[in-house]
Amino acid sequence: MRWNGWGDPSRAKGLPLAVRTLLPLLLGRIRRPEPPVALDAVQLAPSALTADDLAAFRAAVGPQHVDDSAESRIRHAGGRSTPDLLRRRQVEQAAPDAVVRPSTHDEVRACLDVAVDRGIALIPFGGGTSVVGALDPERGGHRAVVSLDLRRLDGLLSLDEISGEAVLAAGTSGPEAEALLAAHGLELGHFPQSFRYATIGGFAAARSSGQNSAGNGRFDAMVTGIRVATPTGDIELGRAPGSAAGPDLVRIFLGSEGIFGVITEVRVRVHPIPRGRVFESWTFPDFAAGVEGLRRVAQHGGGPTVIRLSDEAETAVSLAQIGRIGKALAKGASVVTVYEGERIAERRARVSAHLASAGGSSAGEGAAEDWLEGRFDGPYLRDSLLDAGVFCETLETATTWSNLHALRSAVADALTRGFAEAGAKSYVMCHVSHGYPTGASLYFTVLAGIRSDPLTVWGLVKAGANDAILAAGGTISHHHAVGRDHAPWLAEEIGDTGVRILAAIKRELDPAGILNPGAVIPLERTR
Amino acid sequence: MRWNGWGDPSRAKGLPLAVRTLLPLLLGRIRRPEPPVALDAVQLAPSALTADDLAAFRAAVGPQHVDDSAESRIRHAGGRSTPDLLRRRQVEQAAPDAVVRPSTHDEVRACLDVAVDRGIALIPFGGGTSVVGALDPERGGHRAVVSLDLRRLDGLLSLDEISGEAVLAAGTSGPEAEALLAAHGLELGHFPQSFRYATIGGFAAARSSGQNSAGNGRFDAMVTGIRVATPTGDIELGRAPGSAAGPDLVRIFLGSEGIFGVITEVRVRVHPIPRGRVFESWTFPDFAAGVEGLRRVAQHGGGPTVIRLSDEAETAVSLAQIGRIGKALAKGASVVTVYEGERIAERRARVSAHLASAGGSSAGEGAAEDWLEGRFDGPYLRDSLLDAGVFCETLETATTWSNLHALRSAVADALTRGFAEAGAKSYVMCHVSHGYPTGASLYFTVLAGIRSDPLTVWGLVKAGANDAILAAGGTISHHHAVGRDHAPWLAEEIGDTGVRILAAIKRELDPAGILNPGAVIPLERTR
């Protein structure tokens, strides 16, 4: 992973000509920023760990797996939100005091013991793709903070082909998990945009949703069991697919983002690798008609593997990216559908009937195929935009179908207004990436021509958007999770009693408060 | 509800001749028990509530809704497990000190305040159909215990037809909910055997599964939101169908059986009343072949509304009940399938292909139709068996497909051995009522000719069966829940860290420990 941007530098791509042409029209004159700082020019405070601290961690994981080099510390200094990337462009940066890499559950347990004994905060770190500040090097009042890099906990630990269940070590990345399963003809089928880097444990800890979740379910729904090392004891959960044995405690760790314990193993549902894949894109006269189409599919059970709807603004820019901006398509909203696995023709016929009944027209395979091919590449585009001085970030929420349009307007207005107040022109795009029987997600991408101090401007704009989400009845996150960025709004969403529940679990499992301080619940509520 | 048995006395039925003929063959000579005690012959300890206590509750809910009559107290003395019914046949009985009937969330809140102020335990009471001791009048160290009857919290509070969501008051019974929704052309479609009496809040609190859960999902999956009054504050949860806003706190209250708070409102997913219904029953050479058929359907997505498999022993007795014991059917295992709603022919063809590929043969509509007609009547049969001196009880568990046969053998052996050690012949039947992609439930019905003290004998046999479930990797309950009867085994299932989590939530929300003491977690772990 590029240290100050996304992914594999060799895959990075410049801005397509059509986009470069479009940007000044949308955002006005854009000021090219200073070039980013070089890795060896970054200034870090010296590590706060003592020689004894380092020795204790070395005893836990082996001497070669404790690393306090500047490069490692910088590479674990945060996630991949736009603010993270902007911070990586600064000379002075905050970073954890060291990176520790356990390779087994027992080594994780040993690291927790060292951290508790010595009063050192630990930030569990998987693929490093958080976009909500879950990896900020926050000490939470402790004297030092260590990034607990879990990538060495990898592999397929067991496989039950009859039941269709696999146990994966938590640090296994998306592609590694699929390769291990593919050797048995099986697939997990979870493809968030972070797929190439994010880990199985991260998917669980952050309640990930993937691009194929229409067909395969959210990651929540794939998890059948979990093993967690907490500072005060281990726990293994998930005995049976259907249980009424008290509250489902697996759900306490899904979404816990490392504040209760470190997820070391995840048992997941797997299925045979689907044979065949069919694409179809659709156009709708407008976003509202597209929403109606997606609702019919979600409520009447069509069975697409992927279904997503881009609004007019996103449709236009997507087409610009692939050089088709002039096409008639650009006048409305667009839907991508993909079908994989069994009974494709039957499912496609059913979905098509629902989409047509809502005013959609089939637009062939091309746009859907293009989407699939580029589906993990969005973050590369963001790097190019940032290099060009264009601010670009995403945020997301979800609500019921009946509230979807009101929520979309409220958020779009808050974004546009927020940027305008900072004197920046902006362009707001929206898509629906996930539909459920009772509602759907809304995913916003914003471009803005921020003239100076984008971190401060975005902080204000994003706060306004979060306020608008809660005021309009949305959830503060559909799949990006909470981290530190959303913690104050989570507290509002679940109310005082909800925060007290989370804080009580936190105090019970992590009384010293060493685990990911300030993530999920505001720091002051966990004391 | 009959005070000492099941349901509507006018629907009670005697034992069919074939069953009466069969019983001595299966269980040996059976001793007819003493006739049950009459309601007015039951002896209760006087209510421990003071005049001030009663006045405080009257102020909370209105004078006519506080009832300390012997009849009301006895009617709230427990649930409907066989031990409950055997206790109802005794002269001396334990009962709550009064019954209090709030009608709104705010009145529930007021009752909680009275109970906390005065140190009185509260047992939330819906339809009274618990079979796991969740309604035992346990004081938990307090000076009195009150049954908080929630049946007056009823009605459809709001309906969102676009999103397919309804908010129901927690005390609404299954039939009432369906009638309210049917007025809008909608259905909830949750039909546990307790359907005619159990409440929406009870379904949520106990993580109910219904007979149509193959098609409509477990009750867990239907709940999109919840409102709860806890002793230390209210909470409303469930903003969106997909959320990554921290752990899903709704899941802390599903399965909480009233120990954290009183569920007052439940938001559920609803769907149009299905048109059309098709039945088909199947026979399999043996139970193992039937399991393979159900697994293929669950993993490859057939889409039945109901699918269940009875083993050879249950198949034989079911046929005896309807006078068909001589039929060839009785030689193997049997499967019932029901299809409701859209695309029935297509779904049936798919399921049929899976069942046939596993060795099943279609056996027409008859048996499936008979099953549907009698599906809520099992508990009436139990009353008749108890009257005839035959002990009859059920228990259930779930596990992965690969572990299903080992678990079934372990539980069946434990039951048979346990009764044999008590000198009782027994007959153990089993069915699979719910299949999931990764596993299935096992539901056991046992008949035994216990000569004396059936409560003690069953206590020992059931403990042995519970031990066998956990040792063989099953969950302590698939849908009956935990109550007090399963609490020690739940503690084993989730381990010390799991119990500490539940106890921490309990202490935070109910520091005085007034709510359903001893349910879910053993009493000594909540202090």
Side-chain angles (χ1 to χ4, degrees), chain B residues 416-446:
Chain B
T416 307
R417 198 173 53 242
F419 281 117
E421 281 168 10
K425 276 196 172 182
S426 63
Y427 187 73
V428 178
M429 300 172 273
C430 181
H431 68 247
V432 175
S433 60
H434 296 83
Y436 305 89
T438 60
S441 65
L442 289 170
Y443 191 95
F444 296 88
T445 304
V446 291

PDB file of all heavy atoms in Angstrom, chain B residues 416-446:
ATOM      1  N   THR B 416     -32.950 -41.329  26.561  1.00  0.00           N
ATOM      2  CA  THR B 416     -33.340 -42.724  26.762  1.00  0.00           C
ATOM      3  C   THR B 416     -32.669 -43.293  28.008  1.00  0.00           C
ATOM      4  O   THR B 416     -33.304 -43.946  28.844  1.00  0.00           O
ATOM      5  CB  THR B 416     -32.938 -43.549  25.516  1.00  0.00           C
ATOM      6  OG1 THR B 416     -33.483 -42.904  24.363  1.00  0.00           O
ATOM      7  CG2 THR B 416     -33.463 -44.967  25.603  1.00  0.00           C
ATOM      8  N   ARG B 417     -31.371 -43.016  28.125  1.00  0.00           N
ATOM      9  CA  ARG B 417     -30.616 -43.531  29.265  1.00  0.00           C
ATOM     10  C   ARG B 417     -31.136 -42.921  30.570  1.00  0.00           C
ATOM     11  O   ARG B 417     -31.311 -43.617  31.563  1.00  0.00           O
ATOM     12  CB  ARG B 417     -29.145 -43.180  29.063  1.00  0.00           C
ATOM     13  CG  ARG B 417     -28.177 -43.994  29.896  1.00  0.00           C
ATOM     14  CD  ARG B 417     -26.726 -43.698  29.505  1.00  0.00           C
ATOM     15  NE  ARG B 417     -26.437 -42.277  29.542  1.00  0.00           N
ATOM     16  CZ  ARG B 417     -26.057 -41.538  28.492  1.00  0.00           C
ATOM     17  NH1 ARG B 417     -25.930 -42.080  27.293  1.00  0.00           N
ATOM     18  NH2 ARG B 417     -25.806 -40.251  28.630  1.00  0.00           N
ATOM     19  N   GLY B 418     -31.406 -41.622  30.531  1.00  0.00           N
ATOM     20  CA  GLY B 418     -31.879 -40.954  31.733  1.00  0.00           C
ATOM     21  C   GLY B 418     -33.191 -41.537  32.239  1.00  0.00           C
ATOM     22  O   GLY B 418     -33.346 -41.824  33.434  1.00  0.00           O
ATOM     23  N   PHE B 419     -34.119 -41.730  31.331  1.00  0.00           N
ATOM     24  CA  PHE B 419     -35.396 -42.326  31.754  1.00  0.00           C
ATOM     25  C   PHE B 419     -35.183 -43.764  32.232  1.00  0.00           C
ATOM     26  O   PHE B 419     -35.775 -44.200  33.230  1.00  0.00           O
ATOM     27  CB  PHE B 419     -36.413 -42.298  30.608  1.00  0.00           C
ATOM     28  CG  PHE B 419     -37.060 -40.954  30.417  1.00  0.00           C
ATOM     29  CD1 PHE B 419     -36.896 -40.241  29.237  1.00  0.00           C
ATOM     30  CD2 PHE B 419     -37.851 -40.393  31.420  1.00  0.00           C
ATOM     31  CE1 PHE B 419     -37.496 -39.004  29.054  1.00  0.00           C
ATOM     32  CE2 PHE B 419     -38.467 -39.156  31.238  1.00  0.00           C
ATOM     33  CZ  PHE B 419     -38.278 -38.454  30.051  1.00  0.00           C
ATOM     34  N   ALA B 420     -34.337 -44.504  31.532  1.00  0.00           N
ATOM     35  CA  ALA B 420     -34.106 -45.904  31.923  1.00  0.00           C
ATOM     36  C   ALA B 420     -33.536 -45.970  33.334  1.00  0.00           C
ATOM     37  O   ALA B 420     -33.938 -46.825  34.139  1.00  0.00           O
ATOM     38  CB  ALA B 420     -33.169 -46.580  30.920  1.00  0.00           C
ATOM     39  N   GLU B 421     -32.635 -45.032  33.643  1.00  0.00           N
ATOM     40  CA  GLU B 421     -32.047 -45.025  34.997  1.00  0.00           C
ATOM     41  C   GLU B 421     -33.106 -44.757  36.057  1.00  0.00           C
ATOM     42  O   GLU B 421     -32.952 -45.150  37.202  1.00  0.00           O
ATOM     43  CB  GLU B 421     -30.927 -43.987  35.082  1.00  0.00           C
ATOM     44  CG  GLU B 421     -29.629 -44.506  34.468  1.00  0.00           C
ATOM     45  CD  GLU B 421     -28.575 -43.420  34.258  1.00  0.00           C
ATOM     46  OE1 GLU B 421     -28.768 -42.281  34.755  1.00  0.00           O
ATOM     47  OE2 GLU B 421     -27.579 -43.705  33.559  1.00  0.00           O
ATOM     48  N   ALA B 422     -34.176 -44.075  35.683  1.00  0.00           N
ATOM     49  CA  ALA B 422     -35.279 -43.817  36.608  1.00  0.00           C
ATOM     50  C   ALA B 422     -36.334 -44.915  36.507  1.00  0.00           C
ATOM     51  O   ALA B 422     -37.429 -44.784  37.059  1.00  0.00           O
ATOM     52  CB  ALA B 422     -35.903 -42.463  36.307  1.00  0.00           C
ATOM     53  N   GLY B 423     -36.013 -45.975  35.780  1.00  0.00           N
ATOM     54  CA  GLY B 423     -36.951 -47.097  35.670  1.00  0.00           C
ATOM     55  C   GLY B 423     -38.133 -46.809  34.764  1.00  0.00           C
ATOM     56  O   GLY B 423     -39.186 -47.444  34.872  1.00  0.00           O
ATOM     57  N   ALA B 424     -37.987 -45.831  33.860  1.00  0.00           N
ATOM     58  CA  ALA B 424     -39.121 -45.478  32.995  1.00  0.00           C
ATOM     59  C   ALA B 424     -38.800 -45.813  31.541  1.00  0.00           C
ATOM     60  O   ALA B 424     -37.715 -45.511  31.047  1.00  0.00           O
ATOM     61  CB  ALA B 424     -39.422 -43.991  33.124  1.00  0.00           C
ATOM     62  N   LYS B 425     -39.741 -46.452  30.884  1.00  0.00           N
ATOM     63  CA  LYS B 425     -39.603 -46.637  29.437  1.00  0.00           C
ATOM     64  C   LYS B 425     -39.898 -45.301  28.754  1.00  0.00           C
ATOM     65  O   LYS B 425     -40.765 -44.545  29.207  1.00  0.00           O
ATOM     66  CB  LYS B 425     -40.628 -47.660  28.948  1.00  0.00           C
ATOM     67  CG  LYS B 425     -40.175 -49.109  29.100  1.00  0.00           C
ATOM     68  CD  LYS B 425     -41.072 -49.996  28.231  1.00  0.00           C
ATOM     69  CE  LYS B 425     -40.575 -51.421  28.183  1.00  0.00           C
ATOM     70  NZ  LYS B 425     -41.410 -52.254  27.302  1.00  0.00           N
ATOM     71  N   SER B 426     -39.213 -45.039  27.664  1.00  0.00           N
ATOM     72  CA  SER B 426     -39.462 -43.768  26.975  1.00  0.00           C
ATOM     73  C   SER B 426     -39.467 -43.973  25.471  1.00  0.00           C
ATOM     74  O   SER B 426     -39.040 -45.020  24.961  1.00  0.00           O
ATOM     75  CB  SER B 426     -38.376 -42.744  27.356  1.00  0.00           C
ATOM     76  OG  SER B 426     -37.110 -43.203  26.926  1.00  0.00           O
ATOM     77  N   TYR B 427     -39.970 -42.972  24.792  1.00  0.00           N
ATOM     78  CA  TYR B 427     -40.034 -42.994  23.330  1.00  0.00           C
ATOM     79  C   TYR B 427     -39.600 -41.612  22.868  1.00  0.00           C
ATOM     80  O   TYR B 427     -40.204 -40.606  23.264  1.00  0.00           O
ATOM     81  CB  TYR B 427     -41.463 -43.297  22.884  1.00  0.00           C
ATOM     82  CG  TYR B 427     -41.625 -43.514  21.385  1.00  0.00           C
ATOM     83  CD1 TYR B 427     -41.161 -44.687  20.779  1.00  0.00           C
ATOM     84  CD2 TYR B 427     -42.254 -42.564  20.596  1.00  0.00           C
ATOM     85  CE1 TYR B 427     -41.314 -44.900  19.407  1.00  0.00           C
ATOM     86  CE2 TYR B 427     -42.417 -42.764  19.214  1.00  0.00           C
ATOM     87  CZ  TYR B 427     -41.944 -43.931  18.639  1.00  0.00           C
ATOM     88  OH  TYR B 427     -42.100 -44.143  17.288  1.00  0.00           O
ATOM     89  N   VAL B 428     -38.532 -41.553  22.109  1.00  0.00           N
ATOM     90  CA  VAL B 428     -37.931 -40.275  21.722  1.00  0.00           C
ATOM     91  C   VAL B 428     -38.139 -40.031  20.228  1.00  0.00           C
ATOM     92  O   VAL B 428     -37.763 -40.856  19.396  1.00  0.00           O
ATOM     93  CB  VAL B 428     -36.414 -40.262  22.035  1.00  0.00           C
ATOM     94  CG1 VAL B 428     -35.792 -38.943  21.579  1.00  0.00           C
ATOM     95  CG2 VAL B 428     -36.180 -40.488  23.518  1.00  0.00           C
ATOM     96  N   MET B 429     -38.745 -38.914  19.903  1.00  0.00           N
ATOM     97  CA  MET B 429     -38.986 -38.531  18.504  1.00  0.00           C
ATOM     98  C   MET B 429     -38.188 -37.260  18.210  1.00  0.00           C
ATOM     99  O   MET B 429     -37.910 -36.481  19.124  1.00  0.00           O
ATOM    100  CB  MET B 429     -40.473 -38.245  18.285  1.00  0.00           C
ATOM    101  CG  MET B 429     -41.347 -39.451  18.583  1.00  0.00           C
ATOM    102  SD  MET B 429     -43.120 -39.039  18.560  1.00  0.00           S
ATOM    103  CE  MET B 429     -43.356 -38.514  20.246  1.00  0.00           C
ATOM    104  N   CYS B 430     -37.879 -37.070  16.956  1.00  0.00           N
ATOM    105  CA  CYS B 430     -37.078 -35.893  16.612  1.00  0.00           C
ATOM    106  C   CYS B 430     -37.522 -35.331  15.271  1.00  0.00           C
ATOM    107  O   CYS B 430     -37.886 -36.096  14.363  1.00  0.00           O
ATOM    108  CB  CYS B 430     -35.603 -36.302  16.548  1.00  0.00           C
ATOM    109  SG  CYS B 430     -34.475 -34.950  16.172  1.00  0.00           S
ATOM    110  N   HIS B 431     -37.526 -34.020  15.157  1.00  0.00           N
ATOM    111  CA  HIS B 431     -37.695 -33.422  13.837  1.00  0.00           C
ATOM    112  C   HIS B 431     -36.755 -32.238  13.643  1.00  0.00           C
ATOM    113  O   HIS B 431     -36.230 -31.667  14.600  1.00  0.00           O
ATOM    114  CB  HIS B 431     -39.152 -33.055  13.527  1.00  0.00           C
ATOM    115  CG  HIS B 431     -39.739 -31.940  14.331  1.00  0.00           C
ATOM    116  ND1 HIS B 431     -40.761 -32.135  15.232  1.00  0.00           N
ATOM    117  CD2 HIS B 431     -39.489 -30.612  14.346  1.00  0.00           C
ATOM    118  CE1 HIS B 431     -41.102 -30.978  15.770  1.00  0.00           C
ATOM    119  NE2 HIS B 431     -40.348 -30.032  15.243  1.00  0.00           N
ATOM    120  N   VAL B 432     -36.522 -31.948  12.372  1.00  0.00           N
ATOM    121  CA  VAL B 432     -35.763 -30.763  11.992  1.00  0.00           C
ATOM    122  C   VAL B 432     -36.801 -29.741  11.544  1.00  0.00           C
ATOM    123  O   VAL B 432     -37.464 -29.932  10.524  1.00  0.00           O
ATOM    124  CB  VAL B 432     -34.789 -31.065  10.835  1.00  0.00           C
ATOM    125  CG1 VAL B 432     -34.091 -29.786  10.376  1.00  0.00           C
ATOM    126  CG2 VAL B 432     -33.767 -32.107  11.249  1.00  0.00           C
ATOM    127  N   SER B 433     -36.953 -28.682  12.323  1.00  0.00           N
ATOM    128  CA  SER B 433     -37.975 -27.697  11.955  1.00  0.00           C
ATOM    129  C   SER B 433     -37.396 -26.524  11.180  1.00  0.00           C
ATOM    130  O   SER B 433     -38.139 -25.813  10.512  1.00  0.00           O
ATOM    131  CB  SER B 433     -38.707 -27.196  13.201  1.00  0.00           C
ATOM    132  OG  SER B 433     -37.799 -26.596  14.095  1.00  0.00           O
ATOM    133  N   HIS B 434     -36.088 -26.313  11.289  1.00  0.00           N
ATOM    134  CA  HIS B 434     -35.489 -25.145  10.645  1.00  0.00           C
ATOM    135  C   HIS B 434     -34.131 -25.490  10.054  1.00  0.00           C
ATOM    136  O   HIS B 434     -33.260 -26.007  10.762  1.00  0.00           O
ATOM    137  CB  HIS B 434     -35.323 -23.998  11.650  1.00  0.00           C
ATOM    138  CG  HIS B 434     -36.632 -23.497  12.180  1.00  0.00           C
ATOM    139  ND1 HIS B 434     -37.288 -24.112  13.216  1.00  0.00           N
ATOM    140  CD2 HIS B 434     -37.424 -22.472  11.772  1.00  0.00           C
ATOM    141  CE1 HIS B 434     -38.439 -23.466  13.444  1.00  0.00           C
ATOM    142  NE2 HIS B 434     -38.539 -22.475  12.584  1.00  0.00           N
ATOM    143  N   GLY B 435     -33.971 -25.195   8.792  1.00  0.00           N
ATOM    144  CA  GLY B 435     -32.690 -25.391   8.121  1.00  0.00           C
ATOM    145  C   GLY B 435     -32.104 -24.048   7.704  1.00  0.00           C
ATOM    146  O   GLY B 435     -32.844 -23.147   7.301  1.00  0.00           O
ATOM    147  N   TYR B 436     -30.808 -23.918   7.829  1.00  0.00           N
ATOM    148  CA  TYR B 436     -30.088 -22.706   7.453  1.00  0.00           C
ATOM    149  C   TYR B 436     -28.959 -23.116   6.505  1.00  0.00           C
ATOM    150  O   TYR B 436     -28.618 -24.290   6.451  1.00  0.00           O
ATOM    151  CB  TYR B 436     -29.497 -22.043   8.704  1.00  0.00           C
ATOM    152  CG  TYR B 436     -30.509 -21.756   9.778  1.00  0.00           C
ATOM    153  CD1 TYR B 436     -30.802 -22.701  10.756  1.00  0.00           C
ATOM    154  CD2 TYR B 436     -31.226 -20.564   9.789  1.00  0.00           C
ATOM    155  CE1 TYR B 436     -31.758 -22.450  11.740  1.00  0.00           C
ATOM    156  CE2 TYR B 436     -32.177 -20.303  10.765  1.00  0.00           C
ATOM    157  CZ  TYR B 436     -32.446 -21.254  11.734  1.00  0.00           C
ATOM    158  OH  TYR B 436     -33.397 -20.999  12.689  1.00  0.00           O
ATOM    159  N   PRO B 437     -28.324 -22.172   5.823  1.00  0.00           N
ATOM    160  CA  PRO B 437     -27.228 -22.584   4.950  1.00  0.00           C
ATOM    161  C   PRO B 437     -26.167 -23.425   5.672  1.00  0.00           C
ATOM    162  O   PRO B 437     -25.642 -24.370   5.112  1.00  0.00           O
ATOM    163  CB  PRO B 437     -26.659 -21.246   4.446  1.00  0.00           C
ATOM    164  CG  PRO B 437     -27.839 -20.330   4.446  1.00  0.00           C
ATOM    165  CD  PRO B 437     -28.643 -20.739   5.662  1.00  0.00           C
ATOM    166  N   THR B 438     -25.875 -23.091   6.930  1.00  0.00           N
ATOM    167  CA  THR B 438     -24.759 -23.779   7.596  1.00  0.00           C
ATOM    168  C   THR B 438     -25.177 -24.839   8.613  1.00  0.00           C
ATOM    169  O   THR B 438     -24.318 -25.507   9.177  1.00  0.00           O
ATOM    170  CB  THR B 438     -23.847 -22.756   8.311  1.00  0.00           C
ATOM    171  OG1 THR B 438     -24.634 -22.058   9.283  1.00  0.00           O
ATOM    172  CG2 THR B 438     -23.260 -21.762   7.326  1.00  0.00           C
ATOM    173  N   GLY B 439     -26.467 -24.996   8.879  1.00  0.00           N
ATOM    174  CA  GLY B 439     -26.864 -25.987   9.875  1.00  0.00           C
ATOM    175  C   GLY B 439     -28.365 -26.040  10.051  1.00  0.00           C
ATOM    176  O   GLY B 439     -29.119 -25.488   9.231  1.00  0.00           O
ATOM    177  N   ALA B 440     -28.803 -26.687  11.119  1.00  0.00           N
ATOM    178  CA  ALA B 440     -30.240 -26.884  11.308  1.00  0.00           C
ATOM    179  C   ALA B 440     -30.552 -27.077  12.784  1.00  0.00           C
ATOM    180  O   ALA B 440     -29.666 -27.296  13.608  1.00  0.00           O
ATOM    181  CB  ALA B 440     -30.696 -28.100  10.512  1.00  0.00           C
ATOM    182  N   SER B 441     -31.841 -27.008  13.080  1.00  0.00           N
ATOM    183  CA  SER B 441     -32.316 -27.263  14.438  1.00  0.00           C
ATOM    184  C   SER B 441     -32.682 -28.734  14.600  1.00  0.00           C
ATOM    185  O   SER B 441     -32.923 -29.441  13.617  1.00  0.00           O
ATOM    186  CB  SER B 441     -33.548 -26.406  14.717  1.00  0.00           C
ATOM    187  OG  SER B 441     -34.606 -26.812  13.853  1.00  0.00           O
ATOM    188  N   LEU B 442     -32.738 -29.178  15.835  1.00  0.00           N
ATOM    189  CA  LEU B 442     -33.251 -30.518  16.174  1.00  0.00           C
ATOM    190  C   LEU B 442     -34.263 -30.328  17.291  1.00  0.00           C
ATOM    191  O   LEU B 442     -33.951 -29.685  18.308  1.00  0.00           O
ATOM    192  CB  LEU B 442     -32.132 -31.422  16.671  1.00  0.00           C
ATOM    193  CG  LEU B 442     -31.099 -31.891  15.647  1.00  0.00           C
ATOM    194  CD1 LEU B 442     -29.935 -32.582  16.353  1.00  0.00           C
ATOM    195  CD2 LEU B 442     -31.746 -32.837  14.625  1.00  0.00           C
ATOM    196  N   TYR B 443     -35.459 -30.867  17.087  1.00  0.00           N
ATOM    197  CA  TYR B 443     -36.533 -30.704  18.067  1.00  0.00           C
ATOM    198  C   TYR B 443     -36.942 -32.091  18.525  1.00  0.00           C
ATOM    199  O   TYR B 443     -37.356 -32.913  17.713  1.00  0.00           O
ATOM    200  CB  TYR B 443     -37.702 -29.984  17.396  1.00  0.00           C
ATOM    201  CG  TYR B 443     -38.783 -29.501  18.336  1.00  0.00           C
ATOM    202  CD1 TYR B 443     -38.778 -28.195  18.810  1.00  0.00           C
ATOM    203  CD2 TYR B 443     -39.816 -30.340  18.741  1.00  0.00           C
ATOM    204  CE1 TYR B 443     -39.773 -27.740  19.658  1.00  0.00           C
ATOM    205  CE2 TYR B 443     -40.812 -29.890  19.597  1.00  0.00           C
ATOM    206  CZ  TYR B 443     -40.783 -28.585  20.055  1.00  0.00           C
ATOM    207  OH  TYR B 443     -41.776 -28.124  20.888  1.00  0.00           O
ATOM    208  N   PHE B 444     -36.819 -32.338  19.823  1.00  0.00           N
ATOM    209  CA  PHE B 444     -37.127 -33.658  20.376  1.00  0.00           C
ATOM    210  C   PHE B 444     -38.449 -33.615  21.139  1.00  0.00           C
ATOM    211  O   PHE B 444     -38.709 -32.672  21.893  1.00  0.00           O
ATOM    212  CB  PHE B 444     -36.038 -34.082  21.360  1.00  0.00           C
ATOM    213  CG  PHE B 444     -34.689 -34.271  20.707  1.00  0.00           C
ATOM    214  CD1 PHE B 444     -33.808 -33.200  20.577  1.00  0.00           C
ATOM    215  CD2 PHE B 444     -34.322 -35.507  20.211  1.00  0.00           C
ATOM    216  CE1 PHE B 444     -32.575 -33.370  19.967  1.00  0.00           C
ATOM    217  CE2 PHE B 444     -33.089 -35.691  19.598  1.00  0.00           C
ATOM    218  CZ  PHE B 444     -32.214 -34.620  19.464  1.00  0.00           C
ATOM    219  N   THR B 445     -39.256 -34.638  20.934  1.00  0.00           N
ATOM    220  CA  THR B 445     -40.444 -34.838  21.765  1.00  0.00           C
ATOM    221  C   THR B 445     -40.253 -36.178  22.464  1.00  0.00           C
ATOM    222  O   THR B 445     -39.947 -37.177  21.802  1.00  0.00           O
ATOM    223  CB  THR B 445     -41.718 -34.882  20.917  1.00  0.00           C
ATOM    224  OG1 THR B 445     -41.798 -33.678  20.141  1.00  0.00           O
ATOM    225  CG2 THR B 445     -42.958 -35.012  21.782  1.00  0.00           C
ATOM    226  N   VAL B 446     -40.386 -36.161  23.781  1.00  0.00           N
ATOM    227  CA  VAL B 446     -40.221 -37.422  24.509  1.00  0.00           C
ATOM    228  C   VAL B 446     -41.512 -37.786  25.216  1.00  0.00           C
ATOM    229  O   VAL B 446     -42.202 -36.932  25.783  1.00  0.00           O
ATOM    230  CB  VAL B 446     -39.086 -37.353  25.551  1.00  0.00           C
ATOM    231  CG1 VAL B 446     -37.751 -37.251  24.842  1.00  0.00           C
ATOM    232  CG2 VAL B 446     -39.277 -36.210  26.499  1.00  0.00           C
TER     233      VAL B 446
END
